Structures are given as C-alpha cells and as structure tokens.
Short mmCIF file of all heavy atoms in Angstrom, two decimals:
data_model
loop_
_atom_site.label_atom_id
_atom_site.label_comp_id
_atom_site.label_asym_id
_atom_site.label_seq_id
_atom_site.Cartn_x
_atom_site.Cartn_y
_atom_site.Cartn_z
N LEU A 1 0.83 -1.20 0.00
CA LEU A 1 0.00 0.00 0.00
C LEU A 1 0.87 1.26 0.00
O LEU A 1 0.62 2.20 -0.77
CB LEU A 1 -0.93 0.00 1.21
CG LEU A 1 -1.84 1.21 1.38
CD1 LEU A 1 -2.77 1.37 0.19
CD2 LEU A 1 -2.65 1.10 2.67
N VAL A 2 1.89 1.29 0.85
CA VAL A 2 2.76 2.46 0.93
C VAL A 2 3.50 2.68 -0.39
O VAL A 2 3.60 3.80 -0.89
CB VAL A 2 3.77 2.30 2.09
CG1 VAL A 2 4.83 3.40 2.03
CG2 VAL A 2 3.03 2.36 3.42
N VAL A 3 4.01 1.59 -0.97
CA VAL A 3 4.73 1.69 -2.24
C VAL A 3 3.80 2.23 -3.33
O VAL A 3 4.19 3.06 -4.16
CB VAL A 3 5.32 0.33 -2.63
CG1 VAL A 3 5.83 0.35 -4.07
CG2 VAL A 3 6.46 -0.04 -1.69
N ASN A 4 2.56 1.75 -3.36
CA ASN A 4 1.61 2.23 -4.36
C ASN A 4 1.31 3.71 -4.17
O ASN A 4 1.18 4.46 -5.14
CB ASN A 4 0.32 1.42 -4.30
CG ASN A 4 0.46 0.06 -4.96
OD1 ASN A 4 1.51 -0.27 -5.48
ND2 ASN A 4 -0.60 -0.73 -4.93
N VAL A 5 1.16 4.13 -2.93
CA VAL A 5 0.88 5.54 -2.66
C VAL A 5 2.05 6.41 -3.11
O VAL A 5 1.86 7.47 -3.73
CB VAL A 5 0.58 5.77 -1.17
CG1 VAL A 5 0.53 7.25 -0.84
CG2 VAL A 5 -0.75 5.11 -0.80
N VAL A 6 3.28 5.96 -2.82
CA VAL A 6 4.46 6.70 -3.27
C VAL A 6 4.52 6.74 -4.79
O VAL A 6 4.84 7.76 -5.40
CB VAL A 6 5.75 6.06 -2.70
CG1 VAL A 6 6.99 6.72 -3.30
CG2 VAL A 6 5.77 6.19 -1.18
N GLY A 7 4.18 5.60 -5.41
CA GLY A 7 4.15 5.56 -6.86
C GLY A 7 3.15 6.52 -7.45
O GLY A 7 3.41 7.18 -8.46
N LEU A 8 1.99 6.64 -6.81
CA LEU A 8 0.98 7.60 -7.26
C LEU A 8 1.50 9.03 -7.13
O LEU A 8 1.29 9.87 -8.01
CB LEU A 8 -0.30 7.44 -6.44
CG LEU A 8 -1.20 6.25 -6.81
CD1 LEU A 8 -2.28 6.06 -5.74
CD2 LEU A 8 -1.83 6.47 -8.17
N ALA A 9 2.20 9.29 -6.02
CA ALA A 9 2.73 10.64 -5.82
C ALA A 9 3.78 10.99 -6.86
O ALA A 9 3.87 12.14 -7.31
CB ALA A 9 3.32 10.76 -4.42
N LEU A 10 4.57 10.00 -7.27
CA LEU A 10 5.63 10.25 -8.24
C LEU A 10 5.15 10.14 -9.68
O LEU A 10 5.91 10.40 -10.61
CB LEU A 10 6.78 9.26 -8.02
CG LEU A 10 7.56 9.41 -6.71
CD1 LEU A 10 8.63 8.34 -6.60
CD2 LEU A 10 8.18 10.80 -6.62
N SER A 11 3.89 9.72 -9.87
CA SER A 11 3.39 9.53 -11.23
C SER A 11 3.26 10.85 -11.98
O SER A 11 3.10 10.87 -13.20
CB SER A 11 2.03 8.82 -11.19
OG SER A 11 1.07 9.63 -10.54
N THR A 12 3.32 11.95 -11.26
CA THR A 12 3.23 13.26 -11.91
C THR A 12 4.56 13.69 -12.53
O THR A 12 4.62 14.68 -13.25
CB THR A 12 2.79 14.33 -10.90
OG1 THR A 12 3.72 14.36 -9.81
CG2 THR A 12 1.40 14.02 -10.37
N VAL A 13 5.63 12.93 -12.21
CA VAL A 13 6.93 13.26 -12.78
C VAL A 13 6.89 13.03 -14.29
O VAL A 13 6.53 11.96 -14.75
CB VAL A 13 8.05 12.39 -12.16
CG1 VAL A 13 9.38 12.69 -12.84
CG2 VAL A 13 8.13 12.66 -10.67
N ALA A 14 7.21 14.03 -15.06
CA ALA A 14 7.15 13.92 -16.51
C ALA A 14 8.53 14.21 -17.09
O ALA A 14 9.45 14.63 -16.40
CB ALA A 14 6.13 14.90 -17.07
N GLY A 15 8.65 13.98 -18.38
CA GLY A 15 9.89 14.30 -19.06
C GLY A 15 10.47 13.10 -19.76
O GLY A 15 9.78 12.40 -20.49
N ASP A 16 11.73 12.84 -19.50
CA ASP A 16 12.46 11.78 -20.18
C ASP A 16 11.80 10.42 -19.94
O ASP A 16 11.62 10.01 -18.78
CB ASP A 16 13.89 11.75 -19.64
CG ASP A 16 14.77 10.76 -20.40
OD1 ASP A 16 14.26 10.06 -21.28
OD2 ASP A 16 15.97 10.72 -20.10
N PRO A 17 11.42 9.67 -21.00
CA PRO A 17 10.81 8.35 -20.81
C PRO A 17 11.73 7.38 -20.09
O PRO A 17 11.27 6.48 -19.38
CB PRO A 17 10.50 7.90 -22.24
CG PRO A 17 11.40 8.71 -23.12
CD PRO A 17 11.52 10.02 -22.43
N ARG A 18 13.05 7.54 -20.26
CA ARG A 18 13.99 6.68 -19.54
C ARG A 18 13.90 6.93 -18.03
O ARG A 18 13.98 6.00 -17.23
CB ARG A 18 15.42 6.90 -20.05
CG ARG A 18 15.62 6.45 -21.50
CD ARG A 18 17.08 6.61 -21.91
NE ARG A 18 17.30 6.23 -23.31
CZ ARG A 18 17.48 4.98 -23.72
NH1 ARG A 18 17.48 3.99 -22.84
NH2 ARG A 18 17.68 4.72 -25.00
N LEU A 19 13.74 8.19 -17.67
CA LEU A 19 13.59 8.53 -16.25
C LEU A 19 12.30 7.93 -15.71
O LEU A 19 12.27 7.45 -14.57
CB LEU A 19 13.58 10.05 -16.08
CG LEU A 19 13.31 10.56 -14.65
CD1 LEU A 19 14.39 10.07 -13.70
CD2 LEU A 19 13.23 12.08 -14.64
N MET A 20 11.24 7.93 -16.50
CA MET A 20 9.96 7.36 -16.05
C MET A 20 10.12 5.86 -15.77
O MET A 20 9.65 5.34 -14.75
CB MET A 20 8.89 7.58 -17.12
CG MET A 20 8.47 9.03 -17.27
SD MET A 20 7.63 9.65 -15.79
CE MET A 20 6.16 8.63 -15.80
N MET A 21 10.80 5.13 -16.67
CA MET A 21 10.99 3.70 -16.47
C MET A 21 11.89 3.43 -15.27
O MET A 21 11.63 2.51 -14.48
CB MET A 21 11.58 3.07 -17.73
CG MET A 21 10.60 2.98 -18.89
SD MET A 21 11.22 2.03 -20.30
CE MET A 21 12.51 3.12 -20.89
N ALA A 22 12.93 4.23 -15.12
CA ALA A 22 13.83 4.06 -13.98
C ALA A 22 13.11 4.36 -12.67
O ALA A 22 13.32 3.69 -11.65
CB ALA A 22 15.05 4.96 -14.14
N LYS A 23 12.24 5.39 -12.70
CA LYS A 23 11.48 5.75 -11.50
C LYS A 23 10.57 4.62 -11.05
O LYS A 23 10.52 4.29 -9.86
CB LYS A 23 10.67 7.02 -11.80
CG LYS A 23 9.82 7.52 -10.64
CD LYS A 23 8.38 7.02 -10.71
CE LYS A 23 7.67 7.50 -11.97
NZ LYS A 23 6.28 7.01 -12.04
N ASP A 24 9.88 3.99 -12.00
CA ASP A 24 8.99 2.89 -11.65
C ASP A 24 9.78 1.74 -11.02
O ASP A 24 9.34 1.13 -10.04
CB ASP A 24 8.25 2.39 -12.90
CG ASP A 24 7.23 3.40 -13.39
OD1 ASP A 24 6.82 4.27 -12.60
OD2 ASP A 24 6.84 3.32 -14.58
N SER A 25 10.93 1.44 -11.58
CA SER A 25 11.76 0.37 -11.03
C SER A 25 12.29 0.73 -9.65
O SER A 25 12.36 -0.11 -8.76
CB SER A 25 12.93 0.07 -11.98
OG SER A 25 12.45 -0.36 -13.23
N GLY A 26 12.67 2.01 -9.50
CA GLY A 26 13.18 2.45 -8.21
C GLY A 26 12.16 2.34 -7.11
O GLY A 26 12.47 1.90 -5.98
N VAL A 27 10.91 2.71 -7.39
CA VAL A 27 9.85 2.59 -6.40
C VAL A 27 9.60 1.14 -6.06
O VAL A 27 9.46 0.75 -4.89
CB VAL A 27 8.56 3.27 -6.92
CG1 VAL A 27 7.39 2.97 -5.98
CG2 VAL A 27 8.76 4.76 -7.05
N SER A 28 9.57 0.27 -7.09
CA SER A 28 9.33 -1.15 -6.84
C SER A 28 10.46 -1.79 -6.05
O SER A 28 10.23 -2.75 -5.30
CB SER A 28 9.17 -1.88 -8.18
OG SER A 28 8.07 -1.37 -8.91
N SER A 29 11.68 -1.27 -6.20
CA SER A 29 12.81 -1.85 -5.48
C SER A 29 12.66 -1.72 -3.98
O SER A 29 13.26 -2.49 -3.22
CB SER A 29 14.12 -1.20 -5.93
OG SER A 29 14.19 0.15 -5.48
N VAL A 30 11.87 -0.76 -3.54
CA VAL A 30 11.64 -0.58 -2.10
C VAL A 30 11.05 -1.86 -1.51
O VAL A 30 11.38 -2.25 -0.38
CB VAL A 30 10.70 0.62 -1.86
CG1 VAL A 30 10.33 0.72 -0.38
CG2 VAL A 30 11.35 1.91 -2.32
N VAL A 31 10.19 -2.53 -2.28
CA VAL A 31 9.57 -3.77 -1.80
C VAL A 31 10.65 -4.81 -1.50
O VAL A 31 10.69 -5.42 -0.42
CB VAL A 31 8.57 -4.32 -2.83
CG1 VAL A 31 7.99 -5.65 -2.35
CG2 VAL A 31 7.46 -3.32 -3.08
N GLY A 32 11.57 -5.02 -2.46
CA GLY A 32 12.64 -5.99 -2.26
C GLY A 32 13.53 -5.63 -1.09
O GLY A 32 13.91 -6.49 -0.30
N ILE A 33 13.87 -4.35 -0.96
CA ILE A 33 14.76 -3.91 0.12
C ILE A 33 14.11 -4.13 1.48
O ILE A 33 14.74 -4.65 2.42
CB ILE A 33 15.14 -2.43 -0.07
CG1 ILE A 33 16.01 -2.25 -1.30
CG2 ILE A 33 15.86 -1.89 1.17
CD1 ILE A 33 16.27 -0.82 -1.68
N VAL A 34 12.84 -3.74 1.60
CA VAL A 34 12.16 -3.89 2.90
C VAL A 34 12.00 -5.36 3.26
O VAL A 34 12.13 -5.75 4.43
CB VAL A 34 10.80 -3.17 2.86
CG1 VAL A 34 10.01 -3.45 4.14
CG2 VAL A 34 10.99 -1.68 2.69
N ILE A 35 11.71 -6.22 2.27
CA ILE A 35 11.60 -7.65 2.54
C ILE A 35 12.93 -8.20 3.06
O ILE A 35 12.96 -8.97 4.03
CB ILE A 35 11.16 -8.41 1.28
CG1 ILE A 35 9.70 -8.09 0.95
CG2 ILE A 35 11.33 -9.92 1.47
CD1 ILE A 35 9.21 -8.70 -0.35
N LEU A 36 14.04 -7.79 2.45
CA LEU A 36 15.35 -8.24 2.92
C LEU A 36 15.65 -7.73 4.32
O LEU A 36 16.21 -8.45 5.16
CB LEU A 36 16.43 -7.78 1.94
CG LEU A 36 16.42 -8.47 0.57
CD1 LEU A 36 17.45 -7.84 -0.36
CD2 LEU A 36 16.70 -9.96 0.72
N LEU A 37 15.28 -6.49 4.60
CA LEU A 37 15.49 -5.95 5.94
C LEU A 37 14.65 -6.69 6.97
O LEU A 37 15.08 -6.89 8.12
CB LEU A 37 15.14 -4.45 5.96
CG LEU A 37 16.11 -3.52 5.21
CD1 LEU A 37 15.59 -2.09 5.23
CD2 LEU A 37 17.51 -3.59 5.84
N SER A 38 13.45 -7.10 6.57
CA SER A 38 12.58 -7.84 7.51
C SER A 38 13.20 -9.18 7.88
O SER A 38 12.99 -9.68 8.99
CB SER A 38 11.20 -8.04 6.90
OG SER A 38 11.21 -9.03 5.87
N VAL A 39 13.95 -9.78 6.96
CA VAL A 39 14.64 -11.03 7.27
C VAL A 39 15.71 -10.79 8.32
O VAL A 39 15.88 -11.59 9.26
CB VAL A 39 15.27 -11.62 5.99
CG1 VAL A 39 16.09 -12.87 6.31
CG2 VAL A 39 14.18 -11.97 4.97
N ARG A 40 16.41 -9.68 8.20
CA ARG A 40 17.46 -9.34 9.16
C ARG A 40 16.89 -9.12 10.56
O ARG A 40 17.55 -9.42 11.56
CB ARG A 40 18.20 -8.08 8.69
CG ARG A 40 18.97 -8.23 7.40
CD ARG A 40 20.27 -8.94 7.59
NE ARG A 40 21.18 -8.21 8.45
CZ ARG A 40 22.38 -8.64 8.80
NH1 ARG A 40 22.81 -9.81 8.37
NH2 ARG A 40 23.16 -7.92 9.59
N THR A 41 15.69 -8.59 10.64
CA THR A 41 15.08 -8.32 11.94
C THR A 41 14.36 -9.53 12.53
O THR A 41 13.86 -9.46 13.65
CB THR A 41 14.07 -7.15 11.83
OG1 THR A 41 13.02 -7.51 10.92
CG2 THR A 41 14.76 -5.89 11.32
N GLY A 42 14.31 -10.63 11.76
CA GLY A 42 13.67 -11.84 12.27
C GLY A 42 12.16 -11.86 12.11
O GLY A 42 11.51 -12.73 12.68
N ARG A 43 11.61 -10.94 11.35
CA ARG A 43 10.17 -10.92 11.11
C ARG A 43 9.92 -10.85 9.60
O ARG A 43 9.47 -9.84 9.07
CB ARG A 43 9.52 -9.72 11.79
CG ARG A 43 9.66 -9.72 13.30
CD ARG A 43 9.13 -8.44 13.89
NE ARG A 43 7.70 -8.31 13.67
CZ ARG A 43 6.78 -8.63 14.56
NH1 ARG A 43 7.15 -9.09 15.74
NH2 ARG A 43 5.50 -8.48 14.30
N PRO A 44 10.23 -11.96 8.87
CA PRO A 44 10.13 -11.96 7.41
C PRO A 44 8.73 -11.63 6.90
O PRO A 44 7.76 -12.27 7.29
CB PRO A 44 10.55 -13.39 7.03
CG PRO A 44 10.40 -14.19 8.27
CD PRO A 44 10.64 -13.27 9.40
N LEU A 45 8.65 -10.63 6.04
CA LEU A 45 7.35 -10.14 5.58
C LEU A 45 6.60 -11.14 4.72
O LEU A 45 5.36 -11.17 4.74
CB LEU A 45 7.54 -8.84 4.79
CG LEU A 45 7.71 -7.55 5.61
CD1 LEU A 45 7.99 -6.38 4.69
CD2 LEU A 45 6.46 -7.29 6.44
#
C-alpha cells in the first residue's frame, strides 16, 4: 500500500521516458529492500 501511494505521488513526474521507467523500477525496489530488511530483523514479511 505504501509503495503504491508513493508511486501515485511520483506519477506526476514527466519528461524523459527513460527517467519514467527508472522511476517505476526504483519505487518497486523498495519492496525488495524492505523484505530483505525484515529477514534481518527476524520478522520476514
């Protein structure tokens, strides 16, 4: 939910199409990072 909300907030970013694709991947990467951090804390998401 949080990642989707952030993605909605950043969806207004316009300009270079390469930046748009990189932005989408960057937002999605938060999911992978947080999941890995949850493993370190002993509460795997």
Side-chain angles (χ1 to χ4, degrees):
L1 178 60
V2 170
V3 168
N4 282 358
V5 170
V6 173
L8 283 169
L10 293 178
S11 64
T12 57
V13 176
D16 186 357
R18 294 184 182 277
L19 175 61
M20 290 294 295
M21 288 188 291
K23 180 265 298 180
D24 290 340
S25 299
V27 172
S28 299
S29 70
V30 174
V31 177
I33 293 172
V34 174
I35 289 175
L36 290 175
L37 290 176
S38 74
V39 175
R40 295 282 297 178
T41 62
R43 298 174 64 97
L45 279 176

